[in-house]
PDB file of all heavy atoms in Angstrom:
ATOM      1  N   ALA X  86       0.822  -1.214   0.000  1.00 93.00           N
ATOM      2  CA  ALA X  86       0.000   0.000   0.000  1.00 93.00           C
ATOM      3  C   ALA X  86       0.853   1.260   0.000  1.00 93.00           C
ATOM      4  O   ALA X  86       0.441   2.295  -0.549  1.00 93.00           O
ATOM      5  CB  ALA X  86      -0.921   0.008   1.217  1.00 93.00           C
ATOM      6  N   ILE X  87       2.034   1.195   0.611  1.00 92.00           N
ATOM      7  CA  ILE X  87       2.873   2.381   0.779  1.00 92.00           C
ATOM      8  C   ILE X  87       3.168   3.094  -0.547  1.00 92.00           C
ATOM      9  O   ILE X  87       3.055   4.327  -0.626  1.00 92.00           O
ATOM     10  CB  ILE X  87       4.165   2.016   1.528  1.00 92.00           C
ATOM     11  CG1 ILE X  87       3.847   1.682   2.989  1.00 92.00           C
ATOM     12  CG2 ILE X  87       5.186   3.156   1.454  1.00 92.00           C
ATOM     13  CD1 ILE X  87       5.019   1.127   3.776  1.00 92.00           C
ATOM     14  N   PRO X  88       3.524   2.381  -1.647  1.00 88.00           N
ATOM     15  CA  PRO X  88       3.834   3.090  -2.897  1.00 88.00           C
ATOM     16  C   PRO X  88       2.651   3.831  -3.501  1.00 88.00           C
ATOM     17  O   PRO X  88       2.839   4.711  -4.350  1.00 88.00           O
ATOM     18  CB  PRO X  88       4.295   1.954  -3.831  1.00 88.00           C
ATOM     19  CG  PRO X  88       4.723   0.851  -2.919  1.00 88.00           C
ATOM     20  CD  PRO X  88       3.792   0.938  -1.747  1.00 88.00           C
ATOM     21  N   HIS X  89       1.437   3.500  -3.082  1.00 91.00           N
ATOM     22  CA  HIS X  89       0.250   4.128  -3.653  1.00 91.00           C
ATOM     23  C   HIS X  89      -0.210   5.359  -2.867  1.00 91.00           C
ATOM     24  O   HIS X  89      -1.137   6.047  -3.294  1.00 91.00           O
ATOM     25  CB  HIS X  89      -0.890   3.113  -3.729  1.00 91.00           C
ATOM     26  CG  HIS X  89      -0.572   1.920  -4.587  1.00 91.00           C
ATOM     27  ND1 HIS X  89      -0.504   1.991  -5.963  1.00 91.00           N
ATOM     28  CD2 HIS X  89      -0.271   0.640  -4.254  1.00 91.00           C
ATOM     29  CE1 HIS X  89      -0.192   0.799  -6.456  1.00 91.00           C
ATOM     30  NE2 HIS X  89      -0.035  -0.035  -5.434  1.00 91.00           N
ATOM     31  N   LEU X  90       0.427   5.621  -1.739  1.00 93.00           N
ATOM     32  CA  LEU X  90       0.075   6.805  -0.968  1.00 93.00           C
ATOM     33  C   LEU X  90       0.569   8.059  -1.685  1.00 93.00           C
ATOM     34  O   LEU X  90       1.613   8.044  -2.341  1.00 93.00           O
ATOM     35  CB  LEU X  90       0.679   6.723   0.435  1.00 93.00           C
ATOM     36  CG  LEU X  90       0.205   5.555   1.303  1.00 93.00           C
ATOM     37  CD1 LEU X  90       0.965   5.536   2.628  1.00 93.00           C
ATOM     38  CD2 LEU X  90      -1.286   5.621   1.555  1.00 93.00           C
ATOM     39  N   THR X  91      -0.178   9.133  -1.555  1.00 92.00           N
ATOM     40  CA  THR X  91       0.200  10.375  -2.228  1.00 92.00           C
ATOM     41  C   THR X  91       0.993  11.320  -1.328  1.00 92.00           C
ATOM     42  O   THR X  91       1.512  12.330  -1.801  1.00 92.00           O
ATOM     43  CB  THR X  91      -1.052  11.112  -2.733  1.00 92.00           C
ATOM     44  OG1 THR X  91      -1.920  11.393  -1.626  1.00 92.00           O
ATOM     45  CG2 THR X  91      -1.793  10.269  -3.765  1.00 92.00           C
ATOM     46  N   CYS X  92       1.072  11.007  -0.042  1.00 94.00           N
ATOM     47  CA  CYS X  92       1.791  11.884   0.878  1.00 94.00           C
ATOM     48  C   CYS X  92       3.284  11.578   0.870  1.00 94.00           C
ATOM     49  O   CYS X  92       3.723  10.518   0.433  1.00 94.00           O
ATOM     50  CB  CYS X  92       1.240  11.739   2.298  1.00 94.00           C
ATOM     51  SG  CYS X  92       1.462  10.091   3.024  1.00 94.00           S
ATOM     52  N   GLU X  93       4.048  12.530   1.365  1.00 92.00           N
ATOM     53  CA  GLU X  93       5.458  12.301   1.625  1.00 92.00           C
ATOM     54  C   GLU X  93       5.564  11.329   2.803  1.00 92.00           C
ATOM     55  O   GLU X  93       4.749  11.386   3.721  1.00 92.00           O
ATOM     56  CB  GLU X  93       6.103  13.638   1.980  1.00 92.00           C
ATOM     57  CG  GLU X  93       7.564  13.576   2.349  1.00 92.00           C
ATOM     58  CD  GLU X  93       8.085  14.941   2.753  1.00 92.00           C
ATOM     59  OE1 GLU X  93       7.580  15.515   3.741  1.00 92.00           O
ATOM     60  OE2 GLU X  93       8.995  15.441   2.078  1.00 92.00           O
ATOM     61  N   ILE X  94       6.552  10.434   2.777  1.00 93.00           N
ATOM     62  CA  ILE X  94       6.669   9.421   3.821  1.00 93.00           C
ATOM     63  C   ILE X  94       8.094   9.426   4.380  1.00 93.00           C
ATOM     64  O   ILE X  94       9.065   9.477   3.629  1.00 93.00           O
ATOM     65  CB  ILE X  94       6.339   8.014   3.280  1.00 93.00           C
ATOM     66  CG1 ILE X  94       4.931   7.997   2.677  1.00 93.00           C
ATOM     67  CG2 ILE X  94       6.453   6.962   4.383  1.00 93.00           C
ATOM     68  CD1 ILE X  94       4.627   6.747   1.879  1.00 93.00           C
ATOM     69  N   TRP X  95       8.167   9.382   5.717  1.00 89.00           N
ATOM     70  CA  TRP X  95       9.459   9.303   6.392  1.00 89.00           C
ATOM     71  C   TRP X  95       9.552   7.998   7.184  1.00 89.00           C
ATOM     72  O   TRP X  95       8.580   7.555   7.783  1.00 89.00           O
ATOM     73  CB  TRP X  95       9.625  10.469   7.361  1.00 89.00           C
ATOM     74  CG  TRP X  95       9.840  11.794   6.699  1.00 89.00           C
ATOM     75  CD1 TRP X  95       8.934  12.500   5.968  1.00 89.00           C
ATOM     76  CD2 TRP X  95      11.030  12.573   6.721  1.00 89.00           C
ATOM     77  NE1 TRP X  95       9.481  13.674   5.532  1.00 89.00           N
ATOM     78  CE2 TRP X  95      10.766  13.749   5.987  1.00 89.00           C
ATOM     79  CE3 TRP X  95      12.288  12.398   7.311  1.00 89.00           C
ATOM     80  CZ2 TRP X  95      11.717  14.749   5.812  1.00 89.00           C
ATOM     81  CZ3 TRP X  95      13.227  13.399   7.146  1.00 89.00           C
ATOM     82  CH2 TRP X  95      12.946  14.553   6.393  1.00 89.00           C
ATOM     83  N   SER X  96      10.746   7.430   7.173  1.00 87.00           N
ATOM     84  CA  SER X  96      10.983   6.233   7.978  1.00 87.00           C
ATOM     85  C   SER X  96      12.483   6.159   8.255  1.00 87.00           C
ATOM     86  O   SER X  96      13.214   7.109   7.981  1.00 87.00           O
ATOM     87  CB  SER X  96      10.489   4.981   7.239  1.00 87.00           C
ATOM     88  OG  SER X  96      10.579   3.849   8.094  1.00 87.00           O
ATOM     89  N   HIS X  97      12.935   5.037   8.819  1.00 81.00           N
ATOM     90  CA  HIS X  97      14.372   4.857   8.970  1.00 81.00           C
ATOM     91  C   HIS X  97      14.786   3.526   8.372  1.00 81.00           C
ATOM     92  O   HIS X  97      13.950   2.672   8.061  1.00 81.00           O
ATOM     93  CB  HIS X  97      14.828   5.004  10.423  1.00 81.00           C
ATOM     94  CG  HIS X  97      14.315   3.964  11.369  1.00 81.00           C
ATOM     95  ND1 HIS X  97      14.657   2.642  11.288  1.00 81.00           N
ATOM     96  CD2 HIS X  97      13.490   4.068  12.435  1.00 81.00           C
ATOM     97  CE1 HIS X  97      14.078   1.967  12.254  1.00 81.00           C
ATOM     98  NE2 HIS X  97      13.359   2.799  12.964  1.00 81.00           N
ATOM     99  N   LYS X  98      16.076   3.379   8.159  1.00 80.00           N
ATOM    100  CA  LYS X  98      16.572   2.270   7.358  1.00 80.00           C
ATOM    101  C   LYS X  98      16.360   0.910   8.006  1.00 80.00           C
ATOM    102  O   LYS X  98      16.356  -0.107   7.321  1.00 80.00           O
ATOM    103  CB  LYS X  98      18.056   2.495   7.043  1.00 80.00           C
ATOM    104  CG  LYS X  98      18.264   3.702   6.136  1.00 80.00           C
ATOM    105  CD  LYS X  98      19.716   3.904   5.766  1.00 80.00           C
ATOM    106  CE  LYS X  98      19.874   5.102   4.828  1.00 80.00           C
ATOM    107  NZ  LYS X  98      21.288   5.331   4.456  1.00 80.00           N
ATOM    108  N   ARG X  99      16.150   0.890   9.322  1.00 82.00           N
ATOM    109  CA  ARG X  99      15.903  -0.396   9.974  1.00 82.00           C
ATOM    110  C   ARG X  99      14.479  -0.890   9.739  1.00 82.00           C
ATOM    111  O   ARG X  99      14.178  -2.047  10.005  1.00 82.00           O
ATOM    112  CB  ARG X  99      16.132  -0.266  11.473  1.00 82.00           C
ATOM    113  CG  ARG X  99      17.545   0.110  11.872  1.00 82.00           C
ATOM    114  CD  ARG X  99      17.667   0.108  13.375  1.00 82.00           C
ATOM    115  NE  ARG X  99      18.766   0.937  13.828  1.00 82.00           N
ATOM    116  CZ  ARG X  99      18.991   1.210  15.102  1.00 82.00           C
ATOM    117  NH1 ARG X  99      18.180   0.737  16.024  1.00 82.00           N
ATOM    118  NH2 ARG X  99      20.008   1.967  15.454  1.00 82.00           N
ATOM    119  N   ALA X 100      13.603  -0.013   9.280  1.00 87.00           N
ATOM    120  CA  ALA X 100      12.194  -0.378   9.130  1.00 87.00           C
ATOM    121  C   ALA X 100      11.868  -0.952   7.761  1.00 87.00           C
ATOM    122  O   ALA X 100      10.724  -1.352   7.513  1.00 87.00           O
ATOM    123  CB  ALA X 100      11.309   0.837   9.391  1.00 87.00           C
ATOM    124  N   VAL X 101      12.849  -1.003   6.866  1.00 91.00           N
ATOM    125  CA  VAL X 101      12.616  -1.501   5.510  1.00 91.00           C
ATOM    126  C   VAL X 101      13.730  -2.486   5.152  1.00 91.00           C
ATOM    127  O   VAL X 101      14.783  -2.506   5.796  1.00 91.00           O
ATOM    128  CB  VAL X 101      12.585  -0.336   4.497  1.00 91.00           C
ATOM    129  CG1 VAL X 101      11.413   0.595   4.792  1.00 91.00           C
ATOM    130  CG2 VAL X 101      13.898   0.428   4.501  1.00 91.00           C
ATOM    131  N   PRO X 102      13.538  -3.297   4.127  1.00 92.00           N
ATOM    132  CA  PRO X 102      14.591  -4.237   3.729  1.00 92.00           C
ATOM    133  C   PRO X 102      15.833  -3.509   3.225  1.00 92.00           C
ATOM    134  O   PRO X 102      15.760  -2.364   2.746  1.00 92.00           O
ATOM    135  CB  PRO X 102      13.931  -5.039   2.591  1.00 92.00           C
ATOM    136  CG  PRO X 102      12.466  -4.819   2.745  1.00 92.00           C
ATOM    137  CD  PRO X 102      12.302  -3.464   3.338  1.00 92.00           C
ATOM    138  N   ASP X 103      16.971  -4.150   3.316  1.00 90.00           N
ATOM    139  CA  ASP X 103      18.211  -3.585   2.797  1.00 90.00           C
ATOM    140  C   ASP X 103      18.046  -3.263   1.315  1.00 90.00           C
ATOM    141  O   ASP X 103      17.520  -4.068   0.541  1.00 90.00           O
ATOM    142  CB  ASP X 103      19.369  -4.567   2.977  1.00 90.00           C
ATOM    143  CG  ASP X 103      19.761  -4.739   4.437  1.00 90.00           C
ATOM    144  OD1 ASP X 103      19.376  -3.874   5.249  1.00 90.00           O
ATOM    145  OD2 ASP X 103      20.442  -5.735   4.755  1.00 90.00           O
ATOM    146  N   GLY X 104      18.487  -2.087   0.940  1.00 89.00           N
ATOM    147  CA  GLY X 104      18.420  -1.700  -0.461  1.00 89.00           C
ATOM    148  C   GLY X 104      17.089  -1.122  -0.902  1.00 89.00           C
ATOM    149  O   GLY X 104      16.931  -0.749  -2.066  1.00 89.00           O
ATOM    150  N   TYR X 105      16.126  -1.015   0.020  1.00 90.00           N
ATOM    151  CA  TYR X 105      14.805  -0.494  -0.351  1.00 90.00           C
ATOM    152  C   TYR X 105      14.918   0.964  -0.788  1.00 90.00           C
ATOM    153  O   TYR X 105      15.635   1.756  -0.200  1.00 90.00           O
ATOM    154  CB  TYR X 105      13.846  -0.581   0.832  1.00 90.00           C
ATOM    155  CG  TYR X 105      12.479   0.022   0.565  1.00 90.00           C
ATOM    156  CD1 TYR X 105      11.502  -0.708  -0.090  1.00 90.00           C
ATOM    157  CD2 TYR X 105      12.183   1.330   0.954  1.00 90.00           C
ATOM    158  CE1 TYR X 105      10.243  -0.170  -0.339  1.00 90.00           C
ATOM    159  CE2 TYR X 105      10.927   1.879   0.712  1.00 90.00           C
ATOM    160  CZ  TYR X 105       9.970   1.128   0.060  1.00 90.00           C
ATOM    161  OH  TYR X 105       8.736   1.669  -0.188  1.00 90.00           O
ATOM    162  N   SER X 106      14.189   1.287  -1.841  1.00 88.00           N
ATOM    163  CA  SER X 106      14.195   2.660  -2.335  1.00 88.00           C
ATOM    164  C   SER X 106      12.852   2.972  -2.979  1.00 88.00           C
ATOM    165  O   SER X 106      12.298   2.138  -3.704  1.00 88.00           O
ATOM    166  CB  SER X 106      15.318   2.856  -3.367  1.00 88.00           C
ATOM    167  OG  SER X 106      15.272   4.153  -3.906  1.00 88.00           O
ATOM    168  N   HIS X 107      12.313   4.131  -2.662  1.00 87.00           N
ATOM    169  CA  HIS X 107      11.099   4.629  -3.309  1.00 87.00           C
ATOM    170  C   HIS X 107      11.186   6.152  -3.305  1.00 87.00           C
ATOM    171  O   HIS X 107      11.569   6.752  -2.297  1.00 87.00           O
ATOM    172  CB  HIS X 107       9.844   4.159  -2.580  1.00 87.00           C
ATOM    173  CG  HIS X 107       8.588   4.476  -3.320  1.00 87.00           C
ATOM    174  ND1 HIS X 107       7.984   5.710  -3.251  1.00 87.00           N
ATOM    175  CD2 HIS X 107       7.835   3.740  -4.177  1.00 87.00           C
ATOM    176  CE1 HIS X 107       6.900   5.705  -4.018  1.00 87.00           C
ATOM    177  NE2 HIS X 107       6.793   4.533  -4.587  1.00 87.00           N
ATOM    178  N   PRO X 108      10.846   6.794  -4.432  1.00 87.00           N
ATOM    179  CA  PRO X 108      11.033   8.251  -4.507  1.00 87.00           C
ATOM    180  C   PRO X 108      10.241   9.046  -3.484  1.00 87.00           C
ATOM    181  O   PRO X 108      10.612  10.174  -3.157  1.00 87.00           O
ATOM    182  CB  PRO X 108      10.574   8.591  -5.938  1.00 87.00           C
ATOM    183  CG  PRO X 108       9.757   7.413  -6.384  1.00 87.00           C
ATOM    184  CD  PRO X 108      10.344   6.237  -5.688  1.00 87.00           C
ATOM    185  N   ARG X 109       9.170   8.475  -2.951  1.00 85.00           N
ATOM    186  CA  ARG X 109       8.348   9.216  -1.996  1.00 85.00           C
ATOM    187  C   ARG X 109       8.743   8.924  -0.546  1.00 85.00           C
ATOM    188  O   ARG X 109       8.265   9.579   0.374  1.00 85.00           O
ATOM    189  CB  ARG X 109       6.865   8.888  -2.205  1.00 85.00           C
ATOM    190  CG  ARG X 109       5.926   9.938  -1.599  1.00 85.00           C
ATOM    191  CD  ARG X 109       4.472   9.697  -1.987  1.00 85.00           C
ATOM    192  NE  ARG X 109       4.283   9.937  -3.402  1.00 85.00           N
ATOM    193  CZ  ARG X 109       3.876   9.023  -4.271  1.00 85.00           C
ATOM    194  NH1 ARG X 109       3.614   7.795  -3.864  1.00 85.00           N
ATOM    195  NH2 ARG X 109       3.736   9.313  -5.539  1.00 85.00           N
ATOM    196  N   VAL X 110       9.583   7.927  -0.332  1.00 89.00           N
ATOM    197  CA  VAL X 110       9.951   7.520   1.023  1.00 89.00           C
ATOM    198  C   VAL X 110      11.343   8.033   1.366  1.00 89.00           C
ATOM    199  O   VAL X 110      12.321   7.708   0.683  1.00 89.00           O
ATOM    200  CB  VAL X 110       9.905   5.989   1.178  1.00 89.00           C
ATOM    201  CG1 VAL X 110      10.279   5.582   2.602  1.00 89.00           C
ATOM    202  CG2 VAL X 110       8.527   5.448   0.817  1.00 89.00           C
ATOM    203  N   LYS X 111      11.425   8.849   2.406  1.00 84.00           N
ATOM    204  CA  LYS X 111      12.703   9.380   2.864  1.00 84.00           C
ATOM    205  C   LYS X 111      13.217   8.498   4.004  1.00 84.00           C
ATOM    206  O   LYS X 111      12.550   8.350   5.023  1.00 84.00           O
ATOM    207  CB  LYS X 111      12.540  10.829   3.348  1.00 84.00           C
ATOM    208  CG  LYS X 111      12.033  11.789   2.273  1.00 84.00           C
ATOM    209  CD  LYS X 111      11.889  13.186   2.833  1.00 84.00           C
ATOM    210  CE  LYS X 111      11.306  14.138   1.803  1.00 84.00           C
ATOM    211  NZ  LYS X 111      12.173  14.311   0.634  1.00 84.00           N
ATOM    212  N   LEU X 112      14.375   7.911   3.806  1.00 81.00           N
ATOM    213  CA  LEU X 112      14.945   7.014   4.804  1.00 81.00           C
ATOM    214  C   LEU X 112      16.109   7.701   5.510  1.00 81.00           C
ATOM    215  O   LEU X 112      17.028   8.213   4.882  1.00 81.00           O
ATOM    216  CB  LEU X 112      15.437   5.729   4.140  1.00 81.00           C
ATOM    217  CG  LEU X 112      14.362   4.869   3.469  1.00 81.00           C
ATOM    218  CD1 LEU X 112      14.998   3.669   2.791  1.00 81.00           C
ATOM    219  CD2 LEU X 112      13.319   4.423   4.490  1.00 81.00           C
TER     220      LEU X 112
END
């Protein structure tokens, strides 16, 4: 669901798999 959200998204690198990247998600 996360890639379909229209808002800016913040998280940290421990919360996603290694190498994860999405233009709307700031890690």
Side-chain angles (χ1 to χ4, degrees):
I87 290 172
H89 300 288
L90 298 176
T91 59
C92 64
E93 177 183 61
I94 303 168
W95 288 69
S96 187
H97 65 66
K98 294 182 179 180
R99 298 184 203 173
V101 296
D103 290 343
Y105 176 83
S106 176
H107 189 277
R109 199 172 292 119
V110 181
K111 300 180 183 296
L112 297 177

